[in-house]
Amino acid sequence: MTSQIKARFGLRLLATTALIGAFALTTAAHAQTTNAPPPAPTVRTDVPADRPWMDTSLSAEARAELILKEMTLAEKLQLTFGYFSTDAKWSITPIKNYVFPKEGLPYSAGFVPGIERLGIPNQWQTDAGVGVATQTVPEAARTADLPRGRTALPSGINTAATWNPEVAEAGGAMIGNEAFLSGFNVQLAGGMNLMREPRNGRNFEYGGEDPLLAGIITGHEIKGIQSNHVISTLKHYAFNDQETNRNQMDHQIEDKAARESDLLGFQIAYETGNPGSVMCSYNRVNGHYACENDWLLNQVLKTDWGFKGYVMSDWGATHSTTQAANAGLDQQSGWAFDRSPYFHGALREAVNNGYVSQERANDMAKRILWAMFEVGLFDTPVKGDQATTIDFEKNGKVSQTDSEEGMVLLKNTPGLLPLSKTAKSILIVGAHADVGVLSGGGSSQVYPKGGSPVADEYGKGFPGPKTWYPSSPMKGIQARTTAAVTYVDGKDVKAAAAAAKKADVVIVFGEQWTGEGFDVPDLNLPNNQDALISAVAKANKKTVVVLETGGPVVMPWLSKVGAVIEAWYPGSNGGEAIARVLTGEVNPSGHLPATFPASLDQLPRPVLEGDPKLDSDSHPMSNYNIEGAAVGYKWFDKKGYKPLFPFGHGLSYTTFALSDLTAAAEGKGVKASFSVKNTGGVAGKEVAQIYVSGTGWEAPKRLGAFQKVEVAPGESQSVSVTVDPRLLATYDSASKTWNIAAGDYKVMLATSADDIVQTVTVHLDAQTLDVRGK
């Protein structure tokens, strides 16, 4: 969500006076005889006679229908209009015509009033995918007296790098619980956009470049959040894959390519997580804004996939009333960012005049109510701010586990990592590693309790402030070694190199801050850090580089350093996580969820499309048909490019042997079985990857399945996985079917997209599957 920070406070917000009304009830069972006729509807004695929709034995669909019959048109439409909910006192300058929503929670993303007389709860909305974010201005956030400090997960791309759905779901459950205890029942999480553009400033929020991996990981995050009776979104739907001109850019892509790439990722995430809401994005797709795009919303999402929940706009992504409503938008969110309150009086007028049908108005309200019943907003209502009950220590460990499992060991010279216990001196250089770890910027920003240990280095407002979590890698290393550990900031390259000569081991921390609202100009580390790393590595061959970045970066110094770890943005306990991995307390097991290019020349669009100086009424176009469905490693395979590091790559402090691959047709897909053996000396986790190859595809191969396997030294584990039939098929737009051609298919066992260990061939008969892959 969000555009420029000033937009948050320069527009009028309407006041609301709705109050909470909800009831928590238990489910009663009813008896049923085997040969008896179908029983009459159960009569719940604990259900208020005037509120039959509070019967929890009924489906969410039935409950929504019951309450809808009692609602006036004004009440139905009230659910479709959301307010921004940040207190004006945090404004940079005094604000006129600003009315804070009466029941809203301050410093939060939004508020939608409920209906007191019917017991429909208010919707309190919070950003975002890595925790309970706080919407405020940098001047306030720089102080230690923050409105709200919460636990931050590592970045979304870190969670994708775990390749572990259980870790993703546990993280989602943790931040969903903190949202609930903070008084929120809607969380704007579930970032799923594929990495078509590695310079995208929001890649850190998302799940990488592959639809299967990103869809499964995102879906499990959503499941975790919603297990706390908090609605999660799935966003940003769709093709919001860059920040430059995000409000104007028109991404062109054919239906077939879309269904086999980004939309397949969203479809898998939806099937896995069952989100209550989908958030449509800022950009245009094939000529129409995503939030008034009939193809995306009505045809693909609601008809083809059968989505029962509601579509909410991103903050500032609504552009019309009748067109948006008829094209499938159900809720205008954070209207202060839009040019007009399109779904307020204008929508009621459009319904009264027949431009939007009564049936459509009912459908909009019903979808919102369905999600509220399905996730449990009626039956387990939030009880206001209960932050004093949050177990920050426990939640920090959840975040730490995510960080440790997602950290990727990219390179390691034997004997360098884990850090030798014989080292007498360790020098740490750069990135404020003496006091904390970096986080990504924008609306997803989760502020730490007590404030950032580093003053804002951005200083330009949104998406700042540039924030660090007070978890020191240096202190974590000091606690785990007897070596003398010292720190230099690296601003003086010569001084850093001189200090490096005197140390047994050097650890250089490289950082790349990315955030919402801008894309990075290239993939180099900014602020002369590449030169710093080169100079330090020249002075000391035992140089380890730890990267805190939002996504892929190039490494002109790679051959000079001894080891490289990609730590992403590692979250609230990131310093501890980094220290544990460097010292071997934790064996790294992350694998890349995205290809690291060797240069920008290898990308489908070496020059980023869209002039950032264009005005808001411009209409630049971006051609996603260049690569079509061949995103990421598929593009590299298709073109024969050798990346810096391939998709799926990740090393360990132990070694593994993958063998005994067998595969056969099973059901509508393929079942593959294999063995994973730990051939090294310490316990570790391997990510075994199955790729499949057919004819007439967008690229030579696709990721078909994966499994993260933990194995003790000398032990073996047998693994079986199933390949989704859609990953063996091509999509036909005319018939809306997935079609598996008769013939031979290669099934490949691998440790990365570039490291195929074993290949077998499977013959498949021709099959036609429906639009949902059934």
Side-chain angles (χ1 to χ4, degrees):
M1 97 163 229
T2 76
S3 189
Q4 296 299 322
I5 190 71
K6 290 182 180 178
R8 298 187 171 181
F9 303 105
L11 298 173
R12 179 181 177 85
L13 291 178
L14 301 181
T16 65
T17 57
L19 302 174
I20 289 182
F23 298 88
L25 300 174
T26 56
T27 304
H30 62 270
Q32 181 175 341
T33 11
T34 308
N35 298 316
T42 302
V43 178
R44 290 279 303 277
T45 58
D46 57 344
V47 176
D50 62 340
R51 293 183 177 181
W53 51 85
M54 294 307 297
D55 185 344
T56 57
S57 69
L58 300 176
S59 68
E61 177 93 7
R63 297 174 73 180
E65 288 282 5
L66 285 170
I67 197 169
L68 198 64
K69 293 176 182 177
E70 303 300 320
M71 297 176 70
T72 66
L73 176 61
E75 289 171 334
K76 295 171 185 174
L77 298 184
Q78 184 169 309
L79 300 180
T80 71
F81 187 74
Y83 301 82
F84 187 47
S85 186
T86 291
D87 198 317
K89 75 177 184 179
W90 294 108
S91 173
I92 299 171
T93 57
I95 301 170
K96 297 180 179 180
N97 301 323
Y98 179 98
V99 180
F100 182 77
K102 183 177 180 181
E103 300 296 327
L105 291 176
Y107 331 115
S108 66
F111 174 76
V112 180
I115 314 294
E116 181 184 10
R117 76 174 189 90
L118 299 173
I120 299 175
N122 297 330
Q123 296 172 54
W124 287 282
Q125 303 165 324
T126 180
D127 282 304
V130 298
V132 180
T134 299
Q135 300 309 314
T136 185
V137 298
E139 279 67 16
R142 288 192 191 108
T143 71
D145 185 24
L146 285 168
R148 182 170 51 238
R150 295 291 183 266
T151 307
L153 287 171
S155 54
I157 195 169
N158 179 100
T159 303
T162 69
W163 292 64
N164 190 332
E166 292 181 359
V167 167
E169 191 164 335
M174 185 274 287
I175 65 172
N177 176 254
E178 287 203 1
F180 185 88
L181 293 177
S182 301
F184 297 103
N185 52 18
V186 179
Q187 193 156 27
L188 311 181
M192 222 305 303
N193 299 82
L194 291 191
M195 190 186 292
R196 287 181 178 267
E197 176 48 72
R199 291 162 289 194
N200 180 8
R202 297 188 83 172
N203 279 334
F204 73 92
E205 297 185 43
Y206 302 143
E209 68 190 24
D210 181 77
L212 177 66
L213 176 62
I216 288 176
I217 293 296
T218 305
H220 278 276
E221 290 173 336
I222 292 168
K223 281 182 69 176
I225 291 170
Q226 294 195 159
S227 69
N228 292 275
H229 313 293
V230 175
I231 291 173
S232 175
T233 64
L234 172 61
K235 67 181 187 182
H236 302 91
Y237 184 74
F239 304 98
N240 186 185
D241 301 335
Q242 69 178 60
E243 290 297 282
T244 301
N245 294 126
R246 67 179 184 178
N247 294 292
Q248 296 89 35
M249 186 66 74
D250 183 2
H251 297 298
Q252 300 289 307
I253 188 163
E254 296 177 355
D255 180 75
K256 179 180 185 296
R259 301 272 191 159
E260 294 176 356
S261 57
D262 301 60
L263 294 185
L264 180 57
F266 275 102
Q267 188 175 10
I268 292 171
Y270 157 61
E271 294 166 351
T272 304
N274 190 32
S277 180
V278 167
M279 180 189 287
C280 51
S281 55
Y282 291 117
N283 52 286
R284 293 178 173 94
V285 180
N286 296 331
H288 301 280
Y289 282 111
C291 288
E292 51 187 43
N293 194 305
D294 179 76
W295 170 62
L296 282 178
L297 305 184
N298 284 334
Q299 296 179 44
V300 176
L301 179 65
K302 294 181 177 180
T303 301
D304 294 345
W305 299 349
F307 177 63
K308 293 182 179 181
Y310 64 104
V311 177
M312 71 162 69
S313 67
D314 205 339
W315 275 229
T318 305
H319 297 273
S320 64
T321 299
T322 58
Q323 186 172 341
N326 290 329
L329 180 64
D330 301 303
Q331 187 181 82
Q332 179 185 8
S333 305
W335 86 266
F337 295 88
D338 299 312
R339 291 185 176 182
S340 178
Y342 297 107
F343 277 22
H344 198 252
L347 180 58
R348 186 173 181 179
E349 183 178 349
V351 175
N352 286 331
N353 291 336
Y355 293 108
V356 175
S357 69
Q358 289 277 352
E359 289 77 13
R360 175 64 185 126
N362 287 342
D363 179 61
M364 295 166 76
K366 180 182 175 182
R367 288 177 172 276
I368 296 166
L369 291 165
W370 178 89
M372 296 172 78
F373 280 121
E374 178 73 9
V375 180
L377 272 63
F378 278 81
D379 308 313
T380 310
V382 291
K383 300 176 182 178
D385 192 344
Q386 297 178 283
T388 55
T389 65
I390 293 176
D391 189 337
F392 287 102
E393 183 176 355
K394 177 182 177 182
N395 291 353
K397 295 297 183 183
V398 173
S399 175
Q400 183 175 315
T401 296
D402 191 328
S403 177
E404 291 167 357
E405 287 226 10
M407 224 169 282
V408 184
L409 181 61
L410 295 173
K411 176 183 178 179
N412 191 21
T413 301
L416 183 52
L417 289 181
L419 291 174
S420 171
K421 294 182 179 180
T422 61
K424 295 181 180 180
S425 61
I426 298 173
L427 175 68
I428 295 176
V429 182
H432 302 292
D434 57 330
V435 294
V437 291
L438 185 60
S439 64
S443 61
S444 66
Q445 182 67 64
V446 179
Y447 292 106
K449 291 174 68 65
S452 173
V454 181
D456 179 25
E457 299 170 325
Y458 183 59
K460 301 178 183 178
F462 188 82
K466 186 176 180 181
T467 301
W468 303 74
Y469 296 122
S471 178
S472 165
M474 179 177 174
K475 291 181 180 178
I477 293 169
Q478 288 174 324
R480 291 168 173 82
T481 179
T482 58
V485 183
T486 56
Y487 173 80
V488 296
D489 61 22
K491 293 179 181 179
D492 185 331
V493 174
K494 290 184 179 180
K501 288 182 180 180
K502 302 175 183 178
D504 291 337
V505 177
V506 183
I507 307 171
V508 183
F509 283 75
E511 57 96 349
Q512 173 211 46
W513 185 66
T514 63
E516 180 179 0
F518 72 92
D519 299 315
V520 294
D522 53 47
L523 298 181
N524 290 86
L525 294 176
N527 303 321
N528 206 38
Q529 291 179 89
D530 287 330
L532 170 66
I533 295 171
S534 293
V536 169
K538 184 178 180 180
N540 192 324
K541 292 183 179 180
K542 291 186 177 181
T543 293
V544 178
V545 177
V546 177
L547 296 170
E548 297 175 36
T549 71
V553 292
V554 294
M555 305 176 197
W557 35 261
L558 180 61
S559 64
K560 304 174 185 178
V561 303
V564 182
I565 288 179
E566 176 58 78
W568 316 105
Y569 301 146
S572 290
N573 283 31
E576 279 291 290
I578 290 170
R580 278 161 55 84
V581 169
L582 286 172
T583 59
E585 198 170 310
V586 170
N587 192 348
S589 61
H591 284 242
L592 292 180
T595 304
F596 276 43
S599 71
L600 293 177
D601 292 337
Q602 294 181 328
L603 302 180
R605 286 163 291 280
V607 177
L608 189 68
E609 293 181 330
D611 183 350
K613 298 179 182 178
L614 291 175
D615 61 46
S616 60
D617 293 320
S618 299
H619 191 168
M621 298 181 68
S622 174
N623 185 10
Y624 280 178
N625 289 310
I626 293 173
E627 73 273 37
V631 179
Y633 68 91
K634 298 175 185 178
W635 171 260
F636 279 73
D637 280 355
K638 182 178 180 179
K639 293 294 184 178
Y641 295 151
K642 181 175 176 58
L644 185 66
F645 290 106
F647 172 84
H649 173 73
L651 304 177
S652 171
Y653 295 151
T654 189
T655 54
F656 297 95
L658 278 62
S659 62
D660 302 327
L661 175 65
T662 62
E666 184 174 278
K668 296 179 179 180
V670 165
K671 182 178 180 179
S673 299
F674 52 89
S675 177
V676 179
K677 183 176 182 179
N678 185 336
T679 56
V682 296
K685 298 177 182 179
E686 174 66 303
V687 176
Q689 301 156 47
I690 292 291
Y691 293 87
V692 289
S693 178
T695 57
W697 289 5
E698 73 282 1
K701 65 177 180 289
R702 300 168 176 167
L703 180 68
F706 61 88
Q707 183 71 49
K708 194 164 196 176
V709 186
E710 184 170 11
V711 191
E715 299 294 322
S716 296
Q717 186 168 328
S718 297
V719 181
S720 293
V721 295
T722 301
V723 178
D724 188 307
R726 288 170 293 192
L727 297 169
L728 300 162
T730 55
Y731 187 79
D732 179 68
S733 297
S735 61
K736 290 192 175 184
T737 56
W738 294 90
N739 298 285
I740 300 175
D744 291 337
Y745 291 75
K746 291 181 180 179
V747 178
M748 295 163 277
L749 178 62
T751 61
S752 77
D754 276 8
D755 184 20
I756 307 301
V757 175
Q758 192 176 357
T759 302
V760 298
T761 299
V762 175
H763 183 84
L764 299 178
D765 295 330
Q767 291 187 67
T768 297
L769 312 171
D770 66 19
V771 71
R772 302 179 191 179
K774 305 300 183 182

